[in-house]
Amino acid sequence: MRDDQGEAIRDFIQARPAEDLARAGVLQRDQRFGYLLKGASLEPLLSLMRREGVTRLHQGAQWELHADGRVRNAWGGQHTLTSYANLRSPGNAFEGANERINPYYRSPASAAATTRPDSVLAAFAIEEAIFTAEDLSKPENRCNLAIFHLLAEESFHRWFTGRLGLPATATLFPQRNHSGARPDLVAHDDAGNDLGVVEVELGDADTEQMANYASKYAVVFLITGRPSPGSHLSLAEIRTHFIEALPGMKNRQQALSAKYLIQLIADSLGGNVRNQRAPVSEATLAHPFIARLLALLTDCAPAPGARGPTPGRLYWDTVRDEGFSLSVYSLRASDRRTSLWSRSGGRETVVFLSQEWYLEYLKHKPAAARRWCEFIVRTLGVPIDALGMKQRIEQPMRSVEPHLVELAAHIRELA
């Protein structure tokens, strides 16, 4: 057997002809993307690893697969090693990773470059029939168009499709009038089959229009201005997503487009969507994970009437419903505070910042800051040491919960 350092998966795959891997079931042929690693690839890939005596394949700190079936895929949201049997589906092992780990993957741009332009345009006109005559005097249409263009940004596309329950490979676009109706967006799978339609409203649902769409389409997704019991997503949540994502966006052009949509949504919803900090709701404070942790930290709870952390005292607040951010005093920060971890929008996850961020903003407690980072990386298995300065990473609460006592001890050191 080779040593446990393993082998880079790109090298492992590239050492074998694509056709041989396809015959073995490791790669799946795809008309658009060449060869893909999919859910059906997992068992054949594990079998090949075992035959070749490879105990571990990896791609940096973001992706790894062990011969015993444990997998980590940070690009698909799986930040800790877990048995692939615990994934929502085997395909999650490769979600968002093909272009990084698969040398036989062709990007959409390179795939188009190998196809005759006239055939591309013909397929585009017939199969997608994109609508280009939006009335941009209407704020709702301006939001729709901005969302459509930002769906080209990979992390937003993955988040957006995930919130709607669509596959990460889904394609969304504004379609011309079809069956006497024109929803704001339609969703197609890789083969061009309809997955559903998306209707966006600045306010609440237009019940008559939704009933019309429901009679014509199998699945109708509703996006309202603000969170609503009848909607799948809201423009306010999309705005918050980009506010939180902006610090980690390295492409300046995409960041400018995100800022445009952030302001556009605020203007479209009456200008009263703000990123103001607010007290944490009673319901959030009663969440078992949060309640247990705060019970362990009563000795350094916020001082009465405090508006932020002070030396020796923690502070918690939020910028959105069901959110929670626990912060400590920081000499480095202009507002004298930095978050240690947060929970966003009621999700069952804990959000950590990068090791670089913690070491910079907790410079006044260097030893405690180093121990905090080591605890997150080594005990929790969260690779914050592989993140850029302004990046952040989510971890399931269930994987952090067994370590609450130790988590509280490290937080107390930093208060």
Side-chain angles (χ1 to χ4, degrees), residues 326 338-342 350-358 361 372-373 376 382-385 387-394:
L326 189 147
T338 187
S339 174
L340 290 185
W341 69 268
S342 61
V350 176
V351 179
F352 292 108
L353 306 179
S354 69
Q355 176 172 287
E356 189 177 356
W357 181 281
Y358 288 133
Y361 282 85
W372 169 250
C373 293
I376 295 172
V382 184
I384 61 169
D385 53 337
L387 301 179
M389 175 68 170
K390 295 183 179 181
Q391 291 181 299
R392 56 188 67 198
I393 191 169
E394 287 188 80

Side-chain angles (χ1 to χ4, degrees), residues 56-319:
R56 175 177 174 265
L57 294 174
H58 64 87
Q59 189 66 35
Q62 303 298 303
W63 191 94
E64 61 181 305
L65 177 66
H66 292 248
D68 60 7
R70 290 176 297 150
V71 64
R72 180 205 313 271
N73 177 16
W75 292 304
Q78 181 59 48
H79 300 289
T80 57
L81 266 176
T82 187
S83 169
Y84 78 85
N86 295 329
L87 300 176
R88 293 191 306 275
S89 74
N92 294 136
F94 306 110
E95 182 180 350
N98 262 278
E99 61 187 299
R100 300 173 172 95
I101 69 176
N102 176 7
Y104 294 116
Y105 171 87
R106 292 189 305 172
S107 69
S110 64
T114 62
T115 311
R116 289 179 59 218
D118 55 348
S119 65
V120 171
L121 290 173
F124 188 79
I126 295 170
E127 296 177 15
E128 300 190 337
I130 196 165
F131 181 75
T132 59
E134 291 283 8
D135 179 359
L136 296 182
S137 66
K138 297 178 179 179
E140 180 182 299
N141 291 345
R142 293 198 293 272
C143 285
N144 294 342
L145 200 57
I147 290 170
F148 169 51
H149 288 299
L150 276 164
L151 281 168
E153 200 269 317
E154 184 180 354
S155 63
F156 175 57
H157 184 278
R158 186 164 56 245
W159 177 85
F160 185 88
T161 52
R163 286 297 304 270
L164 297 186
L166 291 166
T169 54
T171 303
L172 296 105
F173 58 92
Q175 190 180 42
R176 293 176 185 170
N177 191 299
H178 178 67
S179 301
R182 192 178 64 78
D184 293 314
L185 296 169
V186 298
H188 280 183
D189 64 14
D190 285 344
N193 301 310
D194 286 339
L195 296 172
V197 298
V198 181
E199 182 61 21
V200 181
E201 300 286 353
L202 295 183
D204 295 327
D206 181 331
T207 53
E208 184 177 342
Q209 185 180 59
M210 289 297 288
N212 179 35
Y213 289 163
S215 70
K216 293 179 169 65
Y217 303 99
V219 182
V220 182
F221 299 103
L222 174 64
I223 298 177
T224 50
R226 294 180 177 80
S228 163
S231 66
H232 299 82
L233 186 59
S234 69
L235 291 173
E237 289 171 294
I238 292 173
R239 181 177 185 271
T240 301
H241 166 84
F242 279 114
I243 289 172
E244 294 176 347
L246 265 175
M249 294 181 75
K250 296 178 181 178
N251 184 304
R252 187 165 178 265
Q253 188 65 55
Q254 291 177 346
L256 287 171
S257 295
K259 289 178 180 179
Y260 172 83
L261 181 57
I262 288 168
Q263 187 57 50
L264 182 59
I265 291 174
D267 293 343
S268 300
L269 299 186
N272 56 0
V273 180
R274 294 290 182 262
N275 191 28
Q276 295 176 339
R277 309 200 73 87
V280 178
S281 70
E282 291 299 322
T284 299
L285 290 173
H287 185 282
F289 179 95
I290 294 172
R292 283 184 56 202
L293 178 62
L294 296 188
L296 294 168
L297 294 168
T298 53
D299 56 323
C300 49
R307 296 187 177 181
T310 54
R313 297 275 191 168
L314 305 169
Y315 191 73
W316 46 82
D317 56 9
T318 184
V319 295

